[in-house]
Amino acid sequence: MPHHDAGYADRAWHGRVEIEENVALARQTYRVRLRAPEIARRILPGQFLMLRLPDCNDPLLGRPLALYDTVVNSEGEPVGLDIVYLVIGRMTSRLAGLSPGASLEVWGPLGNGFPPQATEHLVMVGGGIGQTPFLALAREYAAKRRYGDPPRVVPPAKKITLCYGVRSADFLAGLDDFRSLGINILLSTDDGSAGHRGFVTDLVRRVVEDSSLACRIVCCGPEPMMAATAAIARRLGVPCQVSLESPMACGVGICFSCVAKVRLGDGKWDYRRTCIEGPVFDAEDIEFDSAGGPPHGNQVPRT
């Protein structure tokens, strides 16, 4: 498996950054805006940051959070980062209470991000908080913004669809941001309070089967949902990448706490670090282990 040098720790920037905004988007869901030009000008869709509360040992370790989008100034230069997060634990609970002017310790960009593969129809599948890596990706494939240093060139897609599933409508976050791009948005909720009542994977199957264009699927969310999406892609012969949400302790490949089982070319499997070799993998390469989880629901995988 090739290395993805852009996400290696020796290229990451580490320092304190200032919070410019920290606003609620939906139930238990917030967007924090960070002034971090050193990271913003280099980060790619699908990459992530490690965030840590400074001068604090509770929690001691940082937390991985995906890029939602970059913030640009009046000249179009990247100067900041938007991160969308769900309050589900000690770190995110404390983060939600921080006001503009407070600081965070960050390091990044980390991980490989989504490869800039050409496609006619980009189908993005997000469950729970799994929609967060897709705003920047959609903006890139809609030819609205370029990312990286130097900015990478991505062939624009003819059509972009977001399939987004949550428990109930009050968890839907960032819809106006996606709608501003003019993309097709399909919703599912477990309780039927918005869109299709049922699994987001029900929508994926219909979208791909009904599309007259060559599709590519990208997916992020609960592991059972990603496993089900990967199975759909396999049956329909559609390329699919998944962005894993493995818990991480360091984010730079040292601790090996985020390893995923990956199939090798000889039919065997081995462990790969999600923070370095991922978080984006070809779905066909992942050995999913969804025992004990829902079949392919919209719930957030961790509490």
Side-chain angles (χ1 to χ4, degrees), residues 1-2 4 7-8 46-50 64-66 109-113 219-221 223 226 242-262 270-281 286-288 302:
M1 179 175 294
H4 302 279
Y8 265 61
Q47 289 190 301
F48 67 95
L49 309 175
M50 294 292 291
L65 292 170
L110 299 168
N112 58 357
C219 182
C220 182
E223 183 176 313
M226 290 193 290
V242 294
S243 179
L244 301 185
E245 295 186 322
S246 305
M248 299 178 190
C250 72
V252 295
I254 297 172
C255 68
F256 283 77
S257 67
C258 64
V259 292
K261 292 173 67 174
V262 176
D270 198 357
Y271 289 111
R272 293 290 183 265
R273 294 164 295 179
T274 301
C275 64
I276 296 294
E277 284 85 13
V280 178
F281 294 91
I286 297 297
E287 287 276 358
F288 287 106
R302 299 186 301 274

Side-chain angles (χ1 to χ4, degrees), residues 5 46 70 121 133 137-138 150 208 272 275:
D5 296 337
T70 55
H121 187 177
L137 187 68
V208 175
R272 293 290 183 265
C275 64

Side-chain angles (χ1 to χ4, degrees), residues 114-123 137 140-141 152-159 213-218 238-241:
F114 293 104
Q117 297 174 351
T119 186
E120 294 181 319
H121 187 177
L122 179 66
V123 181
L137 187 68
E140 188 174 46
Y141 274 84
R152 70 180 186 178
V153 178
V154 176
K158 294 180 180 179
K159 186 175 182 179
L213 303 171
C215 294
R216 170 194 174 196
I217 297 174
V218 292
V238 173
C240 177
Q241 286 94 34

Side-chain angles (χ1 to χ4, degrees), residues 9 21 29 55 84 89-90 93 98 111 114 122 147 152 215 218 220 223 234 249 254 269 283 295:
E21 294 180 8
T29 310
D55 305 318
V84 171
R90 188 181 298 274
S93 295
L98 297 181
F114 293 104
L122 179 66
Y147 299 84
R152 70 180 186 178
C215 294
V218 292
C220 182
E223 183 176 313
R234 188 181 310 114
I254 297 172
W269 63 268

